[in-house]
């Protein structure tokens, strides 16, 4: 039996947003905006004494979020840390003519069953639809 690490199962979600890439990036780079669109996973968020980290209230309890953004490259990778687990989430905003594409990749943590991971990833569709609506209509 091999104990070598295996490649994790992953899912990448993408949403087209009819707003300039600079607008989409700026909105997503500000963690204070996340409860408005990440409605399934983030109930509230507040800054911490460390300017890189935010304290979140999630359906599973408290967690921390750090966004590692690079505006020139459209990188919005972020770190999620809670008592039971932590993981990194790669995310990108890229230009699509006059609009943008937001892409976010989720890797299945070893503790998640396939069914639970599928359920959680499916909920992201609601969040991405909310993000699109907010950025395109302001509502």
């Amino acid at each position: 039996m091999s104990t070598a690490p295996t490649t994790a199962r992953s899912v990448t979600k993408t949403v087209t947003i009819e707003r300039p890439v600079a607008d989409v990036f700026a909105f997503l780079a500000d963690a204070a905006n996340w409860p408005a669109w990440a409605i399934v996973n983030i109930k509230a968020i507040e800054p911490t004494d460390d300017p890189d980290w935010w304290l979140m209230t999630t359906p599973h309890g408290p967690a921390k979020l750090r966004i590692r953004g690079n505006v020139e490259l459209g990188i919005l990778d972020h770190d999620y840390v809670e008592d039971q687990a932590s993981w990194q989430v790669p995310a990108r905003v890229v230009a699509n003519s006059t609009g943008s594409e937001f892409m976010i990749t989720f890797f299945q943590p070893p503790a998640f069953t396939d069914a639970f991971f599928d359920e959680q990833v499916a909920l992201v569709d609601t969040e991405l639809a909310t993000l699109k609506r907010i950025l395109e209509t302001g509502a």
Side-chain angles (χ1 to χ4, degrees), residues 62-107:
K64 294 191 319 183
L65 173 73
R66 175 176 59 184
I67 301 169
R68 292 178 284 112
N70 179 310
V71 69
E72 290 179 22
L73 300 175
I75 295 171
L76 285 166
D77 293 356
H78 50 284
D79 301 315
Y80 177 88
V81 178
E82 63 177 39
D83 287 342
Q84 303 296 320
S86 66
W87 53 85
Q88 295 179 333
V89 181
R92 303 290 182 273
V93 177
V94 298
N96 178 352
S97 186
T98 59
S100 303
E101 296 292 324
F102 176 55
M103 299 166 279
I104 187 166
T105 299
F106 300 94
F107 296 98

Side-chain angles (χ1 to χ4, degrees), residues 28-72:
L28 289 168
D30 184 352
N33 292 326
W34 284 43
W37 70 271
I39 58 175
V40 173
N41 291 301
I42 302 175
K43 303 304 179 193
I45 195 163
E46 61 186 77
T48 67
D49 291 337
D50 181 338
D52 291 335
W53 287 95
W54 291 75
L55 180 61
M56 301 182 298
T57 302
T58 77
H60 308 288
K64 294 191 319 183
L65 173 73
R66 175 176 59 184
I67 301 169
R68 292 178 284 112
N70 179 310
V71 69
E72 290 179 22

